[in-house]
Amino acid sequence: MGVSAHQRVLIFLILLGVLFSQNTKALAWTVSPVRFEVKAEKGKEYTLTFSVLNESQLYQKRFEIQTDDWVIDKENNFLRKAFNKNLEIKYSATSWIRVSPQQFVLPPGQSKSVRFTIAVPSNLDGDGEYKTGIFVGEKNIEKPPKGEKIVHIKQDTYIGVIVYVKIGEEKPEIILKDFKVSTKPQEKNLHKVTIYPVYESHGNVHSRGQISVKMEPLSAIGPNLPAPDAFNAGELVVLRGTEVAYPIDIPVLLPANSEWKFVVTSDFGNKTPNLVGTKKYKIPLHP
């Protein structure tokens, strides 16, 4: 398993390392915190820290730190510049960051504080938000003690620390641009349904919202189908100046030829009114 260029944002963790043994043991480590939002001024420096913890009680771990640009694309995939060379990056703060130390070894059960300094240029044009990522990578898996039967897969594991730097006046503005639906036939004339509310940022900072969905049948749906209810669809991040189609799988299969009303509510906090989108949709008889 290599580094995938198409992975969804999930607290911005990229897990690519696996260890197999007779007991299927995993060597765990964590980073905290994984997000910084820094209110800054042009021409000034800011120093912050995060910690890396080796949770293994048996093995030391070797780490290397990289700074890198990243985006969330229109399909809600988290992509790093290092693995996607053609990415167009706007509002990057990567060149502003210095990290220390950049390489270190952690004994079992130990933690390490990592410092990074943000040097904000004095000649920035306009206000708004800039971003970067600090990616902590486990570079190797140590050899097992002599006599222990264990199979290792040597791969890199990365955990991303996301850094937003906000300069001057913040102007959050986001719209619900579109509402799409797709279906995929399953067994017994039922369909898997995925809805895609499409959001677009017109502001100068990112927007982070909680998404909920309510669904209502507009036709008879049969006695064997559980009555649907409102459900939480997770957290959405829309970066400055971008558009995202946020995929939401409906948690029950829906019968062909049934008709529904889907209502998506997006709560982006006190600075932005809730966005509500409604879509009526009839499940097709055939794909």
Side-chain angles (χ1 to χ4, degrees):
M1 184 189 307
V3 176
S4 171
H6 300 284
Q7 297 189 18
R8 299 185 187 278
V9 157
L10 184 57
I11 322 178
F12 300 103
L13 293 183
I14 309 174
L15 299 179
L16 304 170
V18 183
L19 176 72
F20 295 97
S21 72
Q22 291 175 325
N23 297 320
T24 321
K25 294 181 292 186
L27 301 185
W29 56 281
T30 58
V31 176
S32 180
V34 293
R35 186 174 81 237
F36 290 86
E37 298 190 20
V38 182
K39 183 67 175 177
E41 296 181 23
K42 298 176 185 179
K44 293 191 176 182
E45 292 192 355
Y46 303 85
T47 297
L48 304 100
T49 63
F50 60 88
S51 63
V52 181
L53 171 64
N54 180 4
E55 294 184 337
S56 170
Q57 299 302 310
L58 298 175
Y59 301 94
Q60 71 174 9
K61 293 181 179 295
R62 187 180 305 276
F63 295 95
E64 181 180 86
I65 295 181
Q66 305 169 357
T67 55
D68 196 11
D69 288 310
W70 58 274
V71 298
I72 298 172
D73 71 5
K74 289 186 177 182
E75 287 75 44
N76 201 45
N77 298 307
F78 179 87
L79 305 177
R80 277 186 62 184
K81 178 71 171 179
F83 308 123
N84 302 270
K85 300 299 184 182
N86 294 326
L87 282 181
E88 181 182 358
I89 303 297
K90 296 182 179 180
Y91 314 115
S92 171
T94 298
S95 63
W96 308 354
I97 303 292
R98 302 191 306 271
V99 182
S100 179
Q102 293 183 323
Q103 296 183 353
F104 54 93
V105 174
L106 275 182
Q110 299 296 305
S111 64
K112 178 74 173 179
S113 291
V114 178
R115 301 177 62 187
F116 65 97
T117 298
I118 305 167
V120 182
S122 58
N123 59 346
L124 291 176
D125 293 331
D127 295 341
E129 181 179 78
Y130 297 77
K131 62 178 176 57
T132 187
I134 303 172
F135 294 90
V136 183
E138 182 186 356
K139 298 305 295 180
N140 68 320
I141 297 174
E142 298 296 331
K143 294 181 179 180
K146 186 176 180 180
E148 180 177 338
K149 294 181 179 180
I150 190 168
V151 178
H152 292 274
I153 295 180
K154 185 177 180 181
Q155 296 177 331
D156 290 347
T157 302
Y158 293 95
I159 296 180
V161 177
I162 303 306
V163 181
Y164 298 99
V165 184
K166 301 180 179 184
I167 310 296
E169 184 181 2
E170 299 176 31
K171 298 178 180 179
E173 183 181 349
I174 189 164
I175 64 169
L176 180 58
K177 182 179 180 181
D178 200 358
F179 196 152
K180 303 176 183 179
V181 181
S182 72
T183 63
K184 184 176 181 180
Q186 306 292 310
E187 59 185 24
K188 297 180 180 180
N189 211 30
L190 297 173
H191 287 245
K192 177 182 178 181
V193 177
T194 304
I195 61 177
Y196 299 86
V198 180
Y199 300 88
E200 186 173 71
S201 169
H202 292 179
N204 67 359
V205 294
H206 80 283
S207 295
R208 183 180 301 274
Q210 295 295 323
I211 312 299
S212 62
V213 178
K214 185 175 182 180
M215 47 190 294
E216 175 186 340
L218 300 179
S219 61
I221 58 175
N224 296 325
L225 186 67
D229 200 355
F231 63 92
N232 190 317
E235 184 179 72
L236 163 73
V237 176
V238 185
L239 300 177
R240 174 185 183 183
T242 67
E243 176 184 308
V244 175
Y246 185 70
I248 304 170
D249 291 330
I250 299 302
V252 293
L253 299 178
L254 302 181
N257 210 37
S258 62
E259 190 171 4
W260 298 82
K261 181 172 75 172
F262 301 105
V263 180
V264 174
T265 302
S266 316
D267 183 355
F268 289 95
N270 295 332
K271 293 183 179 180
T272 303
N274 284 1
L275 301 179
V276 180
T278 301
K279 182 80 170 183
K280 292 182 180 179
Y281 187 81
K282 188 172 185 178
I283 311 300
L285 280 172
H286 305 286

